[in-house]
Amino acid sequence: MRRGGEVYQVYERAAKLLRRRRRNPYRMADWHKGNNGADTLQGDSRLLSKPDRRAGRDRAAMPRKRLRCGDCRLPALIDQNPDGTDEYLWAIAECYESSGRLKLAIQTFRQVDRFPDNYFRMASCHRRLMEYNEALVLYNQCKVHDGAAPNAFIQIAYTYEEAGQREKAIKAFQLTCKSHPKSGQASEAHSHLQSKYNISVTLGGAKEE
């Protein structure tokens, strides 16, 4: 957690970056109000005109509400730590995803330079939206990544299953066993074929019965 002086400096730099000096003192006043910084709060208020000072006092007295996704000042965060851009975008995308704003989550994950992880997350969102073709396109692109290929294969199978395409799902589960027989996904696919479809296969993908 940032100490008092550090938080205040972040607000100051954010004000300069966003060129919203008339808005940010309100937020500074909010913060100082909650941290018993009455003297500094008055100093911030002198930056404003009289009507604005009254608005600032009223604002400082109001209960603070929790920030929602999209309320964050991403440009200010990037200015403080340009190397953390992907982390900030990823956190925002996860927030969108967990709150059900899946299209916004997809758009934000797409901006993150974290292949193939972001592709898997976008595909998951598409599946929740029942946009199965879009999910399949993303999973197929993930197959080129050696470390992600087994998971891409089995997720393709589950996507076909969710879409109600039984035969394609079975073939995709079998292909998972055949393509990556030593992977955990192959074991999972083998078990799933037995329990759901009553189909037994070797981990090499050949049908036994």
Side-chain angles (χ1 to χ4, degrees), residues 128-155:
R128 289 174 61 184
L129 291 167
M130 295 187 290
E131 297 173 347
Y132 301 115
N133 288 336
E134 289 84 349
L136 289 168
V137 168
L138 292 167
Y139 287 137
N140 274 295
Q141 293 181 61
C142 292
K143 285 162 60 175
V144 304
H145 189 282
D146 291 339
N151 193 33
F153 272 91
I154 198 169
Q155 294 306 325

Side-chain angles (χ1 to χ4, degrees), residues 174-192:
Q174 291 173 330
L175 187 58
T176 303
C177 295
K178 181 179 180 180
S179 301
H180 303 279
K182 296 182 180 180
S183 68
Q185 286 82 0
S187 298
E188 182 180 342
H190 180 266
S191 176
H192 191 74

Side-chain angles (χ1 to χ4, degrees), residues 93-112:
E94 286 189 323
C95 186
Y96 283 139
E97 183 182 26
S98 64
S99 62
R101 288 176 281 183
L102 300 175
K103 291 189 179 296
L104 286 172
I106 292 167
Q107 293 171 11
T108 310
F109 278 126
R110 186 173 288 117
Q111 298 177 59
V112 180

Side-chain angles (χ1 to χ4, degrees), residues 42-60:
Q42 291 174 1
D44 290 334
S45 297
R46 284 194 292 271
L47 295 169
L48 310 174
S49 64
K50 289 183 179 179
D52 287 341
R53 285 202 294 271
R54 288 194 296 271
R57 286 195 297 270
D58 292 341
R59 183 183 174 90

